[in-house]
Amino acid sequence: MRRVTQINVYPVKSLDGFSPASAKVTLRGFEHDRRWMLIDENGVFMTQRQFGKMALLRATMNGDRLRIEEKQATENFIEVPILVDPNAGTATVQIWDDHCSAQFISAEADRRLSDFLGKPCRLVYMPDAVERAVDPDYNTGADIVSFADAYPFLIIGEASLADLNTRLPEPVEMRRFRPNIVFTGGNPYEEDPVRGLRIGDLEFKAVKPCGRCVLITRDPDTGLKGKEPLETLSGYRKKGVKILFGQNLVWDSSAWTNSLLPPALKVGDPLAWNIQ
């Protein structure tokens, strides 16, 4: 039987995250997932693609506060409240081709993060009132997303990674690919053709397989960049100009009828495909 083996939440875009036993589901993704982001002095989003030292920072939730710590020196950390001061100021930020409003949070956090990265940056938050639409070419209705690259959820099967690792000179871990949901059972890449799926009590729509980039060549422990696993994937997982690994999802909230309980997924939930 296919079951969820891991849930991953990345509060700050492109920083390391955490793996809870369960997580609340929202239209934007898991609660807190990529609601924060680092921007440069021009308001443009920052990622590990250009700034490898971002891999050395981990973002977690500590009660009603966001915590960002150095992975190699966890005593060095900052915390900011989830409830952002409405007087802190706002800016229009850019993420790929999208522009949306975001709130500033903390001048002290900005200073310390800039010092660590060696690059002026600011930490911003996406308020509830901001609704960033999923790509209209793949939007199934009113689908929205946080500061994630394109879609609210990414799912990958353990069998897919196991098959890839048989082809690599050195195996890599699942965290290279930053999935939100990992499952066991089934065959390699069987997540590719699905149209929908049910996990626990929740229904999801599959949008399209995930195109991968150089970010997966960053070692998540050191931030150093190599050629793998992108080079090997390009040899057998290339479709057109895209190198595919994993499946993007949106939550089908219309199927959730229990208004008394917030929807959630948990490790161990059964998973079933709809390939029609």
Side-chain angles (χ1 to χ4, degrees), residues 4-189:
V4 174
T5 54
Q6 192 175 91
I7 290 171
N8 298 307
V9 180
Y10 309 93
V12 181
K13 181 177 179 63
S14 220
L15 302 192
D16 203 352
F18 65 104
S19 302
S22 65
K24 293 179 182 178
V25 173
T26 79
L27 291 175
R28 302 172 202 267
F30 284 129
E31 183 181 36
H32 305 309
D33 189 65
R34 282 164 279 213
R35 292 297 294 270
W36 291 265
M37 180 172 72
L38 294 178
I39 59 170
D40 65 16
E41 58 268 37
N42 298 311
V44 179
F45 75 111
M46 296 170 60
T47 80
Q48 291 182 37
R49 296 171 182 84
Q50 294 80 30
F51 306 101
K53 288 191 72 175
M54 293 178 72
L56 306 182
L57 295 173
R58 176 184 292 112
T60 60
M61 305 309 300
N62 183 18
D64 61 354
R65 300 179 71 81
L66 167 72
R67 178 187 175 101
I68 302 175
E69 64 184 23
E70 296 181 27
K71 291 162 62 174
Q72 297 174 347
T74 56
E75 69 275 11
N76 296 329
F77 66 90
I78 58 175
E79 288 191 350
V80 297
I82 294 175
L83 295 177
V84 178
D85 181 357
N87 298 315
T90 62
T92 298
V93 301
Q94 180 179 347
I95 171 170
W96 298 114
D97 294 329
D98 294 338
H99 294 80
C100 61
S101 179
Q103 287 185 286
F104 294 125
I105 299 170
S106 164
E108 174 64 11
D110 296 343
R111 182 189 66 78
R112 292 181 60 182
L113 289 167
S114 297
D115 288 346
F116 179 82
L117 295 174
K119 164 76 176 178
C121 65
R122 300 194 73 173
L123 181 67
V124 297
Y125 176 75
M126 177 182 282
D128 291 342
V130 173
E131 295 189 347
R132 177 182 169 228
V134 166
D135 185 339
D137 290 339
Y138 299 97
N139 201 318
T140 62
D143 299 326
I144 60 174
V145 63
S146 62
F147 286 132
D149 274 353
Y151 302 98
F153 300 93
L154 173 65
I155 188 170
I156 301 176
E158 291 182 357
S160 300
L161 178 64
D163 180 78
L164 168 61
N165 277 333
T166 66
R167 306 165 188 264
L168 292 173
E170 296 290 338
V172 297
E173 297 179 347
M174 185 67 83
R175 57 197 180 119
R176 286 267 185 150
F177 303 96
R178 299 174 67 83
N180 298 108
I181 304 167
V182 181
F183 70 94
T184 189
N187 300 311
Y189 316 111

Side-chain angles (χ1 to χ4, degrees), residues 164 167-169 227-237:
L164 168 61
R167 306 165 188 264
L168 292 173
K227 294 182 178 179
E228 296 292 2
L230 196 62
E231 186 174 81
T232 293
L233 280 171
S234 68
Y236 77 108
R237 293 288 297 168

Side-chain angles (χ1 to χ4, degrees), residues 1-6 155-157 181-186 190-191 194 196-202 204 249 265-266 268-274:
M1 177 182 286
R2 300 172 188 84
R3 289 192 179 275
V4 174
T5 54
Q6 192 175 91
I155 188 170
I156 301 176
I181 304 167
V182 181
F183 70 94
T184 189
E190 69 174 29
E191 57 265 36
V194 302
L197 62 154
R198 183 177 182 86
I199 308 176
D201 296 326
L202 301 181
F204 294 83
L249 307 175
L265 290 187
K266 63 181 184 297
D269 277 346
L271 184 152
W273 300 125
N274 172 13

